[in-house]
Amino acid sequence: MLALGLDIGGANTKLASSDGSLARSFYAPLWKDRSALRKVLAAFCQSSPVSASDSVGVVMTAQLCDCFRTKREGIIYICDTVKSFFENARFFSAEGNFATAREVSEQPMRFDATNWLASAKFIAKAFKNAIFVDVGSTTTDIIPIVNGKVKAAKTDFERLKRKELIYEGVLRTNVSFLLREVSIEGERSGVSSEVFAITADAYLALGLISAEEYTCDTPDFGGKTKEAALRRLSRVVCADLEELGVSAALSIAEQVKEAQVEHLKDALEEKSKKFRIKRIVSAGIGEFIVREAAEMLALDFISIADIYGKAVSAVFPAFSVANLLAEEQECDVSMSEK
């Protein structure tokens, strides 16, 4: 039984079908305009063979956007918007089950940021002991799975404390958040705290992502070319590309990657020792970061992109919640036939 999954983030809305034939991500920054969600869903429904009665599972993180006064307000807004397009939408809760829009309106905080949980629950069906890692555009989830049980805190606040959520991604993270200083031709330099460059610039410059994969806005609203990325990276040390040179700008990009890999490695090492797990299962557009960190720790690395394809890996929470809903509906059908 096919189902559709929606993962509604503050920057991107992701959609996937349970069979993986559909896997799409739309850049829709809700903090700029909360109606972006409605526009994305309307465009999707017009261009795809879906109907209001289709089975749709939903997870969300966009409720944290500062266009909402509280997360509660954001959850209810997202729920109401989705329901206006999909009348039978089911929302994945912190308890790991599905609920109706009415239940969301009654207890909205049960549905706060459960996209990582849907992914981990789905992964746990195949990998009973693993650390699931999803590196996206903005954040990194690090979720231990022990004997088929998800061993992570329930809220993002608690996960931040436990290094199960690292607020670093491979597109939207400010370079100056990752680096307090850089080495330029053997000399140390401080960095500007302006948002001159983001991680997408580093990885575009290094050839680890393509211009098409650079889906968010550039900091200067300029081009998505290697040269443009290097210009932005040069500004991080209050220089320009003419003054700094290509080699030095590229070295900043490399230091961005080294810092992000090191942060992830530290978190993985801690979880691996605590839970005695040597297997990493990785999803997201930043799988290359996870692979490098896992290799440094001599941990087994399993790529979701290798199993389901790169497109599905990039929208894995949407794919996961679609599959969890499809499985629940198949179970309901089986029970009704007995």
Side-chain angles (χ1 to χ4, degrees):
M1 182 176 293
L2 275 178
L4 179 71
L6 291 178
D7 177 16
I8 301 168
N12 300 282
T13 293
K14 301 171 183 177
L15 305 99
S17 58
S18 53
D19 66 352
S21 61
L22 169 69
R24 299 176 66 183
S25 180
F26 299 86
Y27 181 59
L30 267 67
W31 74 90
K32 292 183 179 180
D33 176 11
R34 66 169 70 183
S35 69
L37 176 59
R38 181 171 294 279
K39 294 171 185 175
V40 163
L41 294 180
F44 173 71
C45 290
Q46 289 173 2
S47 63
S48 303
V50 296
S51 69
S53 61
D54 283 344
S55 298
V56 178
V58 185
V59 290
M60 65 184 84
T61 57
Q63 68 277 358
L64 190 59
C65 287
D66 48 19
C67 61
F68 304 118
R69 187 175 58 88
T70 63
K71 290 196 285 185
R72 184 183 304 274
E73 176 190 328
I75 291 166
I76 292 172
Y77 175 84
I78 292 164
C79 174
D80 289 345
T81 302
V82 171
K83 189 175 183 296
S84 70
F85 288 93
F86 301 103
E87 59 191 24
N88 294 326
R90 303 288 300 282
F91 297 82
F92 195 68
S93 75
E95 295 79 36
N97 50 40
F98 288 94
T100 64
R102 179 176 179 178
E103 291 172 280
V104 176
S105 65
E106 292 171 347
Q107 295 181 299
M109 296 311 295
R110 290 175 53 212
F111 305 88
D112 177 28
T114 57
N115 62 342
W116 63 270
L117 180 60
S119 295
K121 289 279 189 182
F122 181 67
I123 285 294
K125 293 177 181 295
F127 301 98
K128 301 302 182 185
N129 293 282
I131 301 172
F132 171 68
V133 184
D134 187 341
V135 180
S137 65
T138 311
T139 61
T140 297
D141 296 309
I142 304 167
I143 312 299
I145 299 168
V146 181
N147 296 325
K149 303 294 184 182
V150 177
K151 299 291 185 179
K154 293 297 185 183
T155 69
D156 282 355
F157 179 40
E158 293 299 325
R159 290 197 303 126
L160 278 169
K161 295 179 188 178
R162 290 165 48 161
K163 293 184 181 179
E164 293 161 355
L165 171 62
I166 300 176
Y167 225 90
E168 299 173 7
V170 294
L171 295 185
R172 299 182 56 245
T173 303
N174 187 352
V175 164
S176 67
F177 175 76
L178 289 168
L179 301 174
R180 293 295 182 264
E181 61 178 17
V182 295
S183 175
I184 304 292
E185 296 179 345
E187 294 185 333
R188 304 301 298 178
S189 170
V191 300
S192 166
S193 64
E194 300 285 352
V195 189
F196 280 136
I198 54 180
T199 43
D201 293 311
Y203 298 127
L204 180 65
L206 294 172
L208 292 170
I209 66 168
S210 65
E212 291 72 28
E213 291 170 318
Y214 193 140
T215 54
C216 60
D217 294 329
T218 62
D220 59 359
F221 300 101
K224 296 179 179 180
T225 64
K226 180 177 180 178
E227 182 180 349
L230 291 172
R231 285 200 301 269
R232 290 188 285 271
L233 288 163
S234 299
R235 295 189 190 111
V236 170
V237 289
C238 301
D240 58 25
L241 191 56
E242 183 178 279
E243 177 182 6
L244 198 65
V246 169
S247 177
L250 276 172
S251 77
I252 295 175
E254 187 61 42
Q255 289 171 74
V256 168
K257 181 170 75 72
E258 289 172 358
Q260 197 162 8
V261 169
E262 187 67 24
H263 295 167
L264 178 57
K265 180 182 76 69
D266 288 347
L268 287 179
E269 186 173 28
E270 179 183 305
K271 297 301 179 188
S272 176
K273 289 180 178 178
K274 179 178 180 178
F275 294 102
R276 299 181 180 180
I277 297 174
K278 297 294 185 181
R279 173 185 288 159
I280 307 299
V281 180
S282 172
I285 58 175
E287 280 198 24
F288 59 90
I289 296 291
V290 190
R291 184 186 295 273
E292 188 163 330
E295 288 175 352
M296 291 172 71
L297 294 168
L299 299 174
D300 295 335
F301 176 83
I302 297 172
S303 163
I304 291 296
D306 289 346
I307 299 172
Y308 294 107
K310 193 173 182 179
V312 166
S313 179
V315 298
F316 197 64
F319 176 74
S320 296
V321 78
N323 274 277
L324 292 174
L325 180 59
E327 290 170 10
E328 180 180 279
Q329 292 177 331
E330 287 173 2
C331 182
D332 290 344
V333 169
S334 297
M335 292 295 290
S336 66
E337 291 175 347
K338 289 183 179 180

